[in-house]
Amino acid sequence: MTANRPSSGLIAWFASNPVAANLLMLLIVIGGLYGLRTTDTEVFPHFKPHQIEVMAHYPGAGPLEIEESVCVRIEEAIYDVPGVKRLNTEIWEGRCRVMVSILPDHDKEIMMSTLRGRIQAIQRLPKGMEKIEVQEASRANDDGVIWVALHGPTDPLTLKHVGDRIQEELAAIPGVTRALNYNDIPYEIAIEVPAEKLRQYRLSLHDIAEAVRRTSLDLPGGLVKTPNGELLLRVKGKASDAAAIGALVLRTEPDGTRLRLDAVAQIKDGLEERLSEWHHNGETAQGWEIHAEHDTVAVARRVKDYIAEMRPKLPEGLVLITWWDDSQAYDERVRTLVEDGLSGFALVCIVLTLFLRLRVALWAGAGILTSIFGALWLMPAFDVSLNMLSLFGFLLAMGILVDDAIIIGENVHAHQISGAHASSLAATIFGVREVALPVVLAVMVALTAFLPGLFLPGWAGQMMRPICLVMMLTLIFSLVEAMLILPAHLAHASVRRGAPSRLERLRDWLNAGLERFVDRFYRPLLNQALEWRYLTIACFMVLLMISLALVMSDRVRQSLNPDVTKDSFWVNLTVPQSAPYNEVRRLSAQVERALFDLRRELDARQPDKPGVVVGLETLIWEHDAGFWIEFSEEGRKRIVVDEFVRQWRRRIGDIGRAKIDFLYKEGDVPYDIELDLGAADPDRLAPAAEQLKSRLAAYPGVYDVVDSNEPGKPEIRLSLKPEAERLGLRLEDLAEQVRYGYYGEEVHRLQRGRSEVKVMVRYPREERQSLENLRALPVSLADGDSAPLGSLATVAPTPGYAKLIRQNRHRVLKVQARVDPRQADVNAIYAALEERDLKALKQRFPSLNVSIGQDRLEQEAMAETLGLNTLIALVVIYALIAVPFRSYLKPLIFLLAAPVAWCGAVLAHWLAGLPLSMESLVGMIAASGVVVNDSLVLLDYIRERGDSGLPVADLISEACTARFRPILLAFLTNFAGFLPTLLETSPQAQFLIPMTLSLSAGLLLGMAASLILTPVCYAVLGRK
């Protein structure tokens, strides 16, 4: 007999040598433990966009002036550098930022060096500009690994003195790459000179600045070369504090009287003049984002250790805390995932034990652990950290990994009890070899199915990479375990002796019941389906069309991000540019009071438990404010975030012209729709935007339609009168004197420890707060006299810009809108706009260029790449199946189950009211891999017995009933593995729900397709 011939080969060698098999398993486990020790731990993978940031500061200048004199010159200098893909420029008052997107095959360090060289070569930049910074761009919303807050009832200057030391020590903690003060206000010494004093002493601000420069300086003087050696010469007289600067002599009168600086000016040694406030829980605050490149969870824990050590050393009344803590989020989420994983593993083992022999069930469970350890072993080599996404991949693999063990174990058992082999070892080797082809093909198909996720562009590729790599590594090691380790443990099967145990009786009862179900229900149903084969195919086609219609009609929304709330979020308050700073402060206090009232009410309901809110941090700027809130562990258990936000908004009340955005869901952005308008003539943008806004507002569910053409601060434009020119005053002289008076003239900079301190000369603040003071400003003339500015120049107010946006060296105007997902779908609105409204707009404005927003373009590029990669993967899968089965048509039968599995995911999302997200897509891919594998096992059975002479219908019926149990077990083990996650109610696991829902529902319908649709299609095609 063929079955009794001597066996050779790798499978036979390992099956006959259990020592080698056990040592291989031990090696994998030890490697996994080593990998677990050396792998970085972080909440989410750390990655940066392939971009370079160019930041230019021009203090005191408006957006239009910065665009003309700075941004355009930077863009023209760098746009043609090889490797530059796109330029996106944003311009605000006092600064502009050029984001340079570079092609993937160009090195960022080399590109930064090239850009710096081009920018340094720019000539004729404005005189008052700061140094232009060129640096690697950070990921949007990269908040670091933990936040540190210092707050108390004190003033900002005192807090900064204490905070400087803390920041320096935080930066020195091992692993910390940067301790960033995210609203740093630098030190400044302000020399404020009243206009009356200038007139009294016949001085100008420039005279005072020059006098300070001459009398306050450090200067090396060379060497004195004496016979005994060289001596350094140095003049050291730079005044470093307010008292020393005030004692500087401006001039000496003929009678010997000296005019000191403090006689004409008030010297303030404090912080830079800026309209800004910083609160934590209502108290004055400072704070730092702690950034790290590797092992971020360990870095966060070191920071907490330092904070605990530092607290007792603080001045009385100051509080130092940590929050927005990645290590806490990691611990909570890992605990949830591990609990769900262990529960799923236990359920999988229970299912296996109930239906399989105990030996097979135990070694199948051990195979799961071996595969996980194998993946952990190789994760550092592939630069994959232990994070939420890689753990997500392990959870995804939990049920899939036992499929090959089930198939091999079932087939080996059938051969061992058949009596057709000389020994249990021979039966094991033959049984493994018989199903080796479908098992290897199944793993290769699954690996190919996850390959497209490795080659996605942008952030989507970065997010998918850990999931796909973990899945692929575990699948590879599961194949190694099933083909080389498992046979050695099955080859020495024990024979049942004596009375069966209670577990064996239960297993026999369940298997007998399963056989009765197959005989009474499944076989007759299959025969009916085979008899009405075309009706059966039509029913599945209807199911496909219904699912497609749900997606195309937007009844099932599509979103890259899941509809999941966050336990730490932020709120943005925006006030019109024309509103005064006091209005921003008043509204910010209104928002803070509303939260504190709500917090007191929630805490009062359960006074014996910890508070629900860890803290509220408020940053107030000139025209907007941000509020960052974090729930405590107790709050995450008790609070429904949607309801919390509704109550908070209701308590805030009327905020007038201001707008407030609560960004509390994963992937939340202020606006859902974004369109960019460009034209050769920028004056054509505003009317085009108004028409587009009116069309957008007409769509149901669209609200808050705005554009970026928001009026900014009014500009005061000065021009010389003829009388001024006759007096010898030049426009340059006027501009400099006005800038020195209002922004200030920088005298020099001091170094205090690690901080650089500007010394500025300007008018006092009270003399810079009205147009009357501007018109009365004394302007020095060529003959030494002075005259009021109002008599020398025309003062003309003109509208200003709040912000200017440029793309690829052209100014654009953004039109943005929000969409209520309960009333409309963003994708449908975009499609309608492109089909109808944008065409009509271009007809009315022929020179207009309209493009969708950058985020949307990236999403479309990602979807297009994913579609192309998936098509390539399907072709590869087709070839993998076609070659061993020697057929062009049979591979199509294998692939039919995948779309049905996708239908299950779509229908489940429709019933649950969830959008199809990236996590949903991962679940659909995994489900399609499992059901295709089920079809492989089924059709391989038919292929092996194709020469038996049985009619096609009888052969199909025999194959389906023989493979019903392995296919059902594959579904049950997968479903059992995901059941704890599917039933999870904790906020930390909500982002997993879309994936588990897709996988569970997809497997259910996919199993039906494998057991009904696949055999029916085979019957239609016959034995072709």
Side-chain angles (χ1 to χ4, degrees):
M1 293 175 60
T2 303
N4 293 326
R5 288 186 306 185
S7 298
S8 61
L10 196 61
I11 293 175
W13 188 82
F14 269 95
S16 60
N17 192 342
V19 173
N22 289 331
L23 286 176
L24 176 61
M25 185 171 66
L26 183 62
L27 175 64
I28 293 173
V29 171
I30 292 174
L33 292 173
Y34 176 76
L36 185 62
R37 183 183 175 189
T38 57
T39 302
D40 282 351
T41 54
E42 53 190 349
V43 178
F44 285 102
H46 183 84
F47 63 88
K48 292 184 178 181
H50 215 54
Q51 294 178 324
I52 296 171
E53 179 184 78
V54 179
M55 182 68 78
H57 293 270
Y58 187 10
L64 188 60
E65 183 178 359
I66 295 176
E67 179 188 39
E68 295 171 350
S69 59
V70 180
C71 289
V72 171
R73 295 178 182 179
I74 292 175
E75 291 173 346
E76 292 300 317
I78 65 175
Y79 81 93
D80 59 347
V81 172
V84 171
K85 178 182 178 183
R86 185 175 57 251
L87 300 178
N88 291 318
T89 304
E90 294 180 293
I91 311 166
W92 304 271
E93 179 185 347
R95 70 190 193 280
C96 78
R97 180 180 64 194
V98 182
M99 296 298 292
V100 184
S101 299
I102 59 179
L103 297 172
D105 56 343
H106 283 70
D107 182 80
K108 274 197 280 190
E109 293 296 330
I110 296 175
M111 288 294 296
M112 281 194 290
S113 177
T114 304
L115 295 181
R116 285 194 190 99
R118 289 285 188 100
I119 291 170
Q120 288 172 0
I122 298 175
Q123 299 179 355
R124 303 183 310 277
L125 286 172
K127 183 178 178 181
M129 273 201 63
E130 304 276 350
K131 181 181 178 181
I132 299 176
E133 300 172 355
V134 180
Q135 58 191 4
E136 188 177 6
S138 59
R139 177 172 55 89
N141 300 320
D142 183 5
D143 299 325
V145 301
I146 191 171
W147 288 6
V148 177
L150 174 69
H151 63 95
T154 185
D155 61 278
L157 181 60
T158 301
L159 211 61
K160 183 168 175 60
H161 286 316
V162 178
D164 283 347
R165 177 192 166 194
I166 294 173
Q167 181 175 3
E168 185 175 339
E169 293 177 354
L170 285 170
I173 294 174
V176 173
T177 56
R178 184 173 54 158
L180 175 66
N181 186 319
Y182 43 89
N183 190 43
D184 186 34
I185 301 178
Y187 291 109
E188 180 183 274
I189 298 176
I191 303 171
E192 297 187 346
V193 189
E196 180 60 33
K197 292 289 185 179
L198 294 176
R199 282 191 290 266
Q200 178 183 346
Y201 293 103
R202 297 176 64 83
L203 292 168
S204 68
L205 292 176
H206 183 64
D207 293 336
I208 292 175
E210 284 296 321
V212 173
R213 289 190 189 102
R214 289 193 302 268
T215 56
S216 174
L217 79 163
D218 294 338
L219 190 67
L223 296 173
V224 178
K225 298 183 179 181
T226 70
N228 297 324
E230 296 181 346
L231 302 174
L232 288 172
L233 290 175
R234 184 183 180 193
V235 175
K236 184 169 178 60
K238 182 174 284 188
S240 59
D241 55 38
I245 290 175
L248 296 175
V249 177
L250 295 178
R251 70 185 180 202
T252 304
E253 303 294 348
D255 60 359
T257 305
R258 296 191 301 174
L259 178 64
R260 290 181 17 147
L261 181 58
D262 53 12
V264 299
Q266 181 182 5
I267 295 92
K268 296 180 178 179
D269 191 347
L271 300 177
E272 182 182 273
E273 187 177 277
R274 185 183 295 179
L275 296 177
S276 177
E277 292 184 27
W278 192 344
H279 305 151
H280 192 95
N281 286 339
E283 295 183 328
T284 305
Q286 285 262 304
W288 301 272
E289 290 176 1
I290 309 302
H291 291 259
E293 293 289 341
H294 301 287
D295 216 4
T296 58
V297 172
V299 170
R301 289 173 180 151
R302 291 188 205 116
V303 171
K304 288 194 289 187
D305 292 340
Y306 164 77
I307 297 304
E309 180 185 339
M310 187 66 188
R311 282 193 188 111
K313 304 176 184 178
L314 293 174
E316 186 177 356
L318 295 187
V319 178
L320 188 64
I321 65 167
T322 59
W323 68 314
W324 221 275
D325 179 6
D326 272 7
S327 66
Q328 178 180 329
Y330 180 85
D331 289 341
E332 292 178 0
R333 295 191 182 192
V334 165
R335 183 168 62 245
T336 301
L337 290 176
V338 169
E339 288 174 357
D340 290 345
L342 291 176
S343 300
F345 177 71
L347 289 175
V348 169
C349 291
I350 290 172
V351 170
L352 293 174
T353 304
L354 289 176
F355 286 93
L356 301 177
R357 292 175 303 150
L358 185 59
R359 175 183 290 271
V360 176
L362 289 177
W363 286 116
I368 297 176
L369 297 177
T370 304
S371 303
I372 291 174
F373 277 115
L376 289 170
W377 185 11
L378 295 185
M379 277 171 57
F382 288 92
D383 195 24
V384 178
S385 63
L386 201 60
N387 56 64
M388 292 301 102
L389 298 177
S390 54
L391 288 174
F392 183 38
F394 282 120
L395 197 63
L396 186 67
M398 188 66 66
I400 301 174
L401 296 177
V402 297
D403 289 357
D404 45 11
I406 291 173
I407 295 168
I408 290 175
E410 285 283 274
N411 204 54
V412 166
H413 178 62
H415 282 281
Q416 286 177 341
I417 64 175
S418 67
H421 303 274
S423 65
S424 177
L425 175 61
T428 300
I429 295 171
F430 189 86
V432 173
R433 285 177 171 173
E434 188 177 39
V435 293
L437 175 63
V439 167
V440 173
L441 272 181
V443 172
M444 294 180 68
V445 166
L447 293 175
T448 307
F450 282 99
L451 274 176
L454 292 179
F455 301 101
L456 291 180
W459 66 268
Q462 305 268 12
M463 299 292 279
M464 287 288 288
R465 183 175 177 273
I467 301 173
C468 295
L469 277 176
V470 165
M471 282 297 304
M472 295 171 74
L473 290 174
T474 53
L475 285 169
I476 290 171
F477 277 99
S478 75
L479 180 63
V480 172
E481 197 279 335
M483 302 295 290
L484 302 181
I485 299 174
L486 181 63
H489 299 134
L490 300 180
H492 307 285
S494 59
V495 180
R496 180 191 294 179
R497 293 183 175 87
S501 66
R502 185 175 300 177
L503 176 60
E504 291 171 335
R505 289 197 301 270
L506 176 61
R507 184 186 303 122
D508 292 341
W509 179 79
L510 286 173
N511 286 323
L514 187 60
E515 291 177 2
R516 287 194 299 271
F517 175 83
V518 170
D519 292 334
R520 295 180 184 179
F521 298 100
Y522 173 63
R523 191 191 298 272
L525 176 63
L526 177 62
N527 291 334
Q528 287 293 322
L530 291 171
E531 184 176 351
W532 296 89
R533 59 192 65 177
Y534 294 105
L535 177 61
T536 303
I537 295 174
C539 290
F540 278 98
M541 290 299 297
V542 169
L543 183 65
L544 287 171
M545 289 188 288
I546 290 174
S547 301
L548 184 62
L550 289 174
V551 175
M552 298 299 292
S553 64
D554 301 314
R555 284 172 172 79
V556 176
R557 295 184 292 114
Q558 301 170 61
S559 171
L560 287 181
N561 296 289
D563 193 12
V564 176
T565 57
K566 297 186 286 188
D567 48 30
S568 303
F569 63 92
W570 72 287
V571 179
N572 184 46
L573 175 71
T574 306
V575 179
Q577 293 274 324
S578 58
Y581 179 61
N582 285 337
E583 178 76 4
V584 184
R585 294 184 65 207
R586 183 185 65 80
L587 291 173
S588 299
Q590 188 174 327
V591 174
E592 284 183 321
R593 282 195 304 272
L595 176 71
F596 295 151
D597 292 343
L598 179 57
R599 180 172 66 177
R600 279 192 295 269
E601 180 182 312
L602 292 173
D603 290 346
R605 293 177 185 174
Q606 297 186 12
D608 56 329
K609 292 189 176 181
V612 296
V613 175
V614 171
L616 170 70
E617 188 149 290
T618 305
L619 283 171
I620 305 172
W621 298 286
E622 192 171 356
H623 298 294
D624 58 342
F627 307 87
W628 284 261
I629 182 172
E630 182 179 26
F631 295 121
S632 65
E633 186 173 358
E634 178 67 22
R636 287 189 282 273
K637 295 176 182 176
R638 288 170 46 191
I639 288 178
V640 178
V641 180
D642 294 271
E643 180 60 26
F644 179 88
V645 169
R646 278 193 291 270
Q647 290 189 38
W648 188 7
R649 181 64 185 90
R650 179 177 55 81
R651 289 168 184 266
I652 292 171
D654 182 32
I655 56 174
R657 298 178 298 162
K659 292 185 297 185
I660 190 166
D661 300 305
F662 295 84
L663 305 174
Y664 63 96
K665 290 189 176 181
E666 295 290 346
D668 261 354
V669 291
Y671 294 97
D672 303 293
I673 293 177
E674 184 175 281
L675 298 163
D676 298 331
L677 307 183
D681 181 8
D683 294 334
R684 301 291 292 167
L685 295 178
E690 290 300 322
Q691 182 171 338
L692 180 57
K693 284 160 61 179
S694 64
R695 289 177 176 269
L696 264 175
Y699 283 92
V702 176
Y703 64 102
D704 282 353
V705 184
V706 298
D707 62 54
S708 60
N709 192 31
E710 182 184 354
K713 298 176 183 176
E715 292 184 359
I716 304 297
R717 296 192 178 179
L718 306 176
S719 58
L720 286 179
K721 293 180 178 180
E723 294 83 352
E725 295 176 351
R726 286 195 295 271
L727 293 172
L729 183 67
R730 297 175 302 173
L731 187 61
E732 180 184 8
D733 299 330
L734 176 69
E736 285 186 349
Q737 291 187 53
V738 171
R739 179 176 174 82
Y740 294 161
Y742 279 77
Y743 171 71
E745 181 176 1
E746 182 178 329
V747 179
H748 52 228
R749 302 191 182 194
L750 306 173
Q751 194 69 35
R752 287 182 182 167
R754 296 181 181 274
S755 300
E756 194 175 56
V757 184
K758 284 184 181 180
V759 179
M760 304 292 293
V761 178
R762 64 168 73 94
Y763 289 122
R765 186 166 185 171
E766 57 270 15
E767 294 188 14
R768 293 180 276 125
Q769 292 182 328
S770 69
L771 288 177
E772 289 73 19
N773 287 333
L774 175 64
R775 291 189 176 94
L777 182 141
V779 178
S780 299
L781 302 174
D783 59 3
D785 289 334
S786 64
L789 181 142
S791 65
L792 302 172
T794 301
V795 180
T798 59
Y801 293 94
K803 179 181 178 181
L804 293 176
I805 301 172
R806 295 171 60 83
Q807 290 180 0
N808 293 326
R809 301 185 296 145
H810 296 284
R811 191 190 297 181
V812 299
L813 194 152
K814 288 185 178 293
V815 175
Q816 300 165 311
R818 296 184 174 96
V819 177
D820 185 350
R822 295 168 295 183
Q823 301 183 41
D825 180 73
V826 173
N827 298 300
I829 295 174
Y830 267 119
L833 285 169
E834 292 177 351
E835 179 68 25
R836 182 177 63 250
D837 299 302
L838 298 186
K839 291 180 180 178
L841 192 67
K842 290 179 181 178
Q843 289 177 354
R844 181 169 178 183
F845 301 93
S847 63
L848 188 70
N849 295 318
V850 184
S851 61
I852 60 177
Q854 196 62 47
D855 290 342
R856 180 73 181 183
L857 284 175
E858 290 179 359
Q859 291 182 21
E860 291 186 351
M862 187 277 293
E864 182 179 349
T865 304
L866 180 62
L868 178 62
N869 291 350
T870 303
L871 180 62
I872 295 172
L874 288 174
V875 172
V876 173
I877 291 172
Y878 174 87
L880 287 173
I881 300 172
V883 171
F885 281 85
R886 302 186 179 187
S887 171
Y888 294 108
L889 294 179
K890 287 178 183 177
L892 300 178
I893 302 176
F894 290 95
L895 299 177
L896 284 175
V900 178
W902 300 342
C903 290
V906 170
L907 292 172
H909 279 72
W910 175 56
L911 293 173
L914 294 175
L916 287 172
S917 63
M918 182 65 73
E919 286 79 4
S920 309
L921 180 63
V922 174
M924 292 167 70
I925 293 173
S928 60
V930 173
V931 297
V932 168
N933 294 346
D934 292 341
S935 299
L936 272 170
V937 172
L938 181 63
L939 293 183
D940 180 69
Y941 186 97
I942 298 174
R943 180 184 68 85
E944 288 289 333
R945 290 153 182 79
D947 298 329
S948 62
L950 289 174
V952 172
D954 294 342
L955 182 61
I956 290 173
S957 180
E958 178 187 333
C960 291
T961 52
R963 294 303 188 198
F964 182 87
R965 194 171 82 143
I967 292 175
L968 177 64
L969 277 180
F971 166 73
L972 289 177
T973 52
N974 277 280
F975 186 76
F978 298 122
L979 185 60
T981 307
L982 196 60
L983 300 178
E984 183 63 63
T985 57
S986 67
Q988 290 76 28
Q990 293 306 297
F991 76 104
L992 296 173
I993 298 298
M995 180 271 292
T996 52
L997 189 64
S998 292
L999 191 51
S1000 302
L1003 288 176
L1004 181 61
L1005 278 190
M1007 181 181 65
S1010 297
L1011 293 172
I1012 300 295
L1013 181 62
T1014 298
V1016 166
C1017 290
Y1018 189 89
V1020 170
L1021 294 175
R1023 303 191 183 192
K1024 298 178 183 178

